[in-house]
Amino acid sequence: MSIQNNIDRITDILRRDDGISGAMHYTEQISWILFLKFLNDYEDNKADEAFLEGTDYNYVLRKDLRWHQWACPKDETGKLDVKRALTGDDLIDFVNKTLFPYLQAFKATTNDPKTLTYKIGAIFEYLDNKIASGHTLREVLDIIDALDFQSSDELFELSQVYESLLKGMGSDGGNSGEFYTPRAIIKAMVETTDIKVGDTIYDGAVGSGGFLVEAYEFLTGGDKKEKLSAKDWETIQNDTFFGQEKTSLGYVMGMMNMILHGIESPNVYKGNTLIQNIRDFQEKDRHNVILANPPFGGKEKSQIQQNFPVESNATEILFLQHFMKMLKLEGRAAIVIPEGVLFQTNNAFIKVKQTLLENFNVHTIVSLPSGVFLPYSGVKTNILYFDRKGATSDIWYYDVTPPYKLTKNKPITFDHIAEFVHLFHNPKERNATNAKLKKAVTSSAVERSCNDWTVNVKDIKDYDLSAKNPHKVVEVIHQTPKDLLKAIKQNDTEINTLMNQIEQLIDG
């Protein structure tokens, strides 16, 4: 049976449990069980390596709390030892009163995110077992026990399955949506930030870890892995990926996603990024590449706002200032922002945009179509690109225009953004097209789709950076007075019909 089928079985089993409510719950519960199975296989592998080298491996977990002792103990034939395998109330009592308190206590012993001890403590610090039935949990443990985390093929398949779980959690709507950014957007941003081995990559709002995972696959995918030296590999694993995540659920999902995709030691902490006073940042604290989709639309209290030169209760403005301060000299950033950041003209927004244009090179702005983040957000968004290589001169705009309206069931795909990625890497082709456009009498004279244009910073008024595609012509339908009158009468008839229906309901 495939891993996908096994995970589907688990979700069906968990949906029947009284303690589970929705995709967010069952994804969270699958995550902690998967992590403990991964940890078991990881430690067993380390123990085997140590044995071959003639040394002993010191297990992180206490012997009686390792997977093979409590989750799925085996008899002499390698089958589940039903005499020792807990189930029902005994299993739930053991997990809630012995296992979780032990794992949660790990956080107090270290602050080094590279260590297994830190990862265990940080993941379980805010987690609880929500599975109410010990019989349900026994079924889940038996299925997950069959997964082999030491098989690279199986691990790859599981990482893809987990990604779809996270996507499903986002599609559930509500707060869970903030943890998942569409893969097409992430892939385009990663492929246009010139990531190299030796760069440090930072996301101050990690969520499910999509940006760091995609950056890892960009550095190691295909035949790149074979060309990496041992030193390169060590750098990628230990000194490349950095970030923070405020929510406990997001942190668990992000850590699990990164681990399943092969990032064993991400330097990711749980905490509110915005509590850091950005005036204290030094060059050693900064990063070469910043990739993020920070939460927007939130409000922060005055105590948090004091950490920023420009105080605002809008999280998007605070995060933008944070990322500006976290960028190394020569560094590159690509950040998803709500469209309001570009056109808002109140004092806080203007001050931040003035600093951005004068101290950073805002070279590209991508206008994303409405519906990119459906069903959990209908806010129109953009991707803001800037680097720390001097002031802004020209801004290249690209307007992503799918051939259909985006919905939950018809999401954005990489094909919709492929032209942008191509033109980003081929500025000569882009400029040649713009030159053609200037000479063209009509847009039909140009083969390509007129989705990009360039604006000089001197032509920007009141720091309004919003994307206004000069090639798009709004079609005006001219109606005769007779047709207009007919349309007005039709509207009046429909309004009267609706009013009568409402009156009937009220009189009821």
Side-chain angles (χ1 to χ4, degrees):
M1 184 178 289
S2 72
I3 291 176
Q4 181 67 66
N5 288 338
N6 278 322
I7 297 297
D8 288 344
R9 279 179 63 205
I10 291 170
T11 56
D12 286 341
I13 291 166
L14 288 177
R15 283 192 188 100
R16 301 196 301 266
D17 189 83
D18 291 339
I20 304 299
S21 175
M24 194 189 308
H25 272 184
Y26 66 65
T27 304
E28 176 192 63
Q29 296 302 297
I30 291 171
S31 296
W32 73 255
I33 302 171
L34 281 174
F35 179 79
L36 290 181
K37 179 60 167 70
F38 167 85
L39 183 60
N40 176 81
D41 290 6
Y42 178 85
E43 291 217 88
D44 280 352
N45 190 47
K46 291 293 183 186
D48 290 343
E49 289 175 2
F51 177 76
L52 293 173
E53 293 169 1
T55 60
D56 291 325
Y57 173 73
N58 294 317
Y59 278 82
V60 176
L61 293 188
R62 204 171 76 201
K63 186 174 181 179
D64 62 311
L65 296 176
R66 294 176 205 157
W67 182 271
H68 289 317
Q69 295 295 320
W70 73 270
C72 291
K74 302 294 194 301
D75 60 21
E76 294 176 354
T77 65
K79 293 182 180 179
L80 184 72
D81 188 338
V82 292
K83 293 179 181 177
R84 291 165 52 214
L86 297 173
T87 191
D89 291 343
D90 292 340
L91 179 56
I92 294 298
D93 284 346
F94 171 81
V95 167
N96 292 345
K97 296 175 182 178
T98 303
L99 181 65
F100 265 74
Y102 169 76
L103 297 171
Q104 288 162 346
F106 272 63
K107 183 67 187 295
T109 62
T110 180
N111 284 319
D112 182 359
K114 290 185 173 71
T115 64
L116 265 178
T117 304
Y118 176 90
K119 275 187 273 193
I120 294 166
I123 285 175
F124 284 90
E125 183 181 14
Y126 298 97
L127 268 179
D128 289 306
N129 167 48
K130 292 186 172 67
I131 302 171
S133 166
H135 300 291
T136 297
L137 181 54
R138 166 52 50 206
E139 285 187 79
V140 174
L141 292 174
D142 290 345
I143 295 170
I144 288 181
D145 184 59
L147 302 180
D148 181 9
F149 282 87
Q150 295 185 43
S151 160
S152 57
D153 289 343
E154 196 156 315
L155 195 57
F156 174 78
E157 186 185 346
L158 184 57
S159 70
Q160 306 306 304
V161 172
Y162 192 75
E163 192 76 35
S164 67
L165 268 179
L166 292 174
K167 186 175 181 180
M169 188 179 78
S171 297
D172 238 21
N175 293 330
S176 60
E178 71 189 66
F179 305 130
Y180 190 84
T181 303
R183 179 60 58 182
I185 303 294
I186 293 174
K187 182 176 170 62
M189 290 167 69
V190 167
E191 292 192 6
T192 49
T193 40
D194 189 30
I195 299 170
K196 300 180 290 290
V197 176
D199 285 336
T200 59
I201 304 163
Y202 174 69
D203 182 352
V206 166
S208 63
F211 285 104
L212 300 184
V213 165
E214 188 67 33
Y216 172 80
E217 293 185 344
F218 180 83
L219 289 171
T220 63
D223 59 353
K224 293 178 185 176
K225 196 169 188 177
E226 297 171 6
K227 297 175 183 176
L228 294 171
S229 67
K231 186 178 179 182
D232 288 340
W233 192 249
E234 187 178 347
T235 298
I236 289 171
Q237 280 292 355
N238 298 315
D239 300 306
T240 297
F241 303 103
F242 296 80
Q244 281 207 138
E245 170 55 39
K246 180 179 179 180
T247 68
S248 53
L249 177 59
Y251 183 83
V252 172
M253 300 305 165
M255 288 294 287
M256 194 68 227
N257 198 25
M258 286 182 277
I259 287 168
L260 285 176
H261 279 85
I263 309 174
E264 292 181 4
S265 298
N267 299 279
V268 174
Y269 294 87
K270 185 194 172 298
N272 183 356
T273 298
L274 302 180
I275 64 171
Q276 302 168 83
N277 190 328
I278 67 171
R279 300 173 188 88
D280 298 335
F281 294 162
Q282 300 175 39
E283 191 65 15
K284 66 180 178 63
D285 304 315
R286 299 183 173 116
H287 299 282
N288 305 102
V289 177
I290 293 176
L291 294 160
N293 175 19
F296 41 80
K299 305 294 179 188
E300 286 290 356
K301 52 192 176 186
S302 58
Q303 185 181 350
I304 296 287
Q305 295 177 40
Q306 291 168 12
N307 294 322
F308 300 86
V310 180
E311 295 185 18
S312 170
N313 67 359
T315 52
E316 51 265 39
I317 279 294
L318 301 182
F319 266 107
L320 182 52
Q321 291 180 79
H322 173 85
F323 291 132
M324 288 157 63
K325 275 288 188 178
M326 283 295 277
L327 198 61
K328 274 185 185 288
L329 282 169
E330 303 289 312
R332 296 89 67 200
I335 300 162
V336 177
I337 56 169
E339 193 158 68
V341 172
L342 298 181
F343 65 75
Q344 286 262 19
T345 55
N346 68 35
N347 285 339
F349 283 79
I350 282 181
K351 284 179 183 176
V352 172
K353 285 188 281 188
Q354 181 179 358
T355 303
L356 182 66
L357 292 175
E358 292 176 357
N359 298 342
F360 297 83
N361 173 33
V362 179
H363 56 83
T364 304
I365 293 176
V366 179
S367 177
L368 296 174
S370 298
V372 164
F373 293 99
L374 288 174
Y376 42 84
S377 174
V379 175
K380 181 88 165 59
T381 54
N382 296 259
I383 307 171
L384 177 70
Y385 286 82
F386 59 92
D387 56 47
R388 202 171 156 205
K389 299 177 183 179
T392 303
S393 174
D394 290 311
I395 303 175
W396 178 57
Y397 285 84
Y398 186 90
D399 186 12
V400 178
T401 52
Y404 51 79
K405 183 180 179 181
L406 300 182
T407 65
K408 176 184 173 181
N409 298 320
K410 294 172 73 176
I412 194 163
T413 69
F414 188 75
D415 286 345
H416 300 145
I417 321 176
E419 183 185 70
F420 158 69
V421 175
H422 173 77
L423 289 176
F424 186 96
H425 292 302
N426 296 275
K428 288 183 179 178
E429 186 178 326
R430 178 203 318 168
N431 292 337
T433 305
N434 282 337
K436 275 186 186 179
L437 278 170
K438 289 177 183 177
K439 294 177 183 177
V441 178
T442 65
S443 59
S444 61
V446 183
E447 289 181 9
R448 202 171 52 74
S449 53
C450 305
N451 290 328
D452 69 303
W453 65 99
T454 301
V455 176
N456 186 274
V457 71
K458 293 176 184 175
D459 297 326
I460 292 170
K461 307 297 182 187
D462 301 321
Y463 299 100
D464 182 354
L465 303 177
S466 52
K468 302 179 183 75
N469 191 339
H471 312 309
K472 279 190 175 176
V473 179
V474 178
E475 186 180 351
V476 179
I477 299 172
H478 296 285
Q479 290 182 298
T480 64
K482 197 171 185 178
D483 288 337
L484 283 170
L485 188 60
K486 185 179 178 182
I488 291 168
K489 285 182 176 179
Q490 172 117 14
N491 287 340
D492 285 344
T493 302
E494 289 175 2
I495 290 168
N496 287 331
T497 302
L498 286 170
M499 291 298 292
N500 288 334
Q501 290 174 354
I502 291 168
E503 284 178 2
Q504 288 172 10
L505 285 170
I506 293 170
D507 295 339

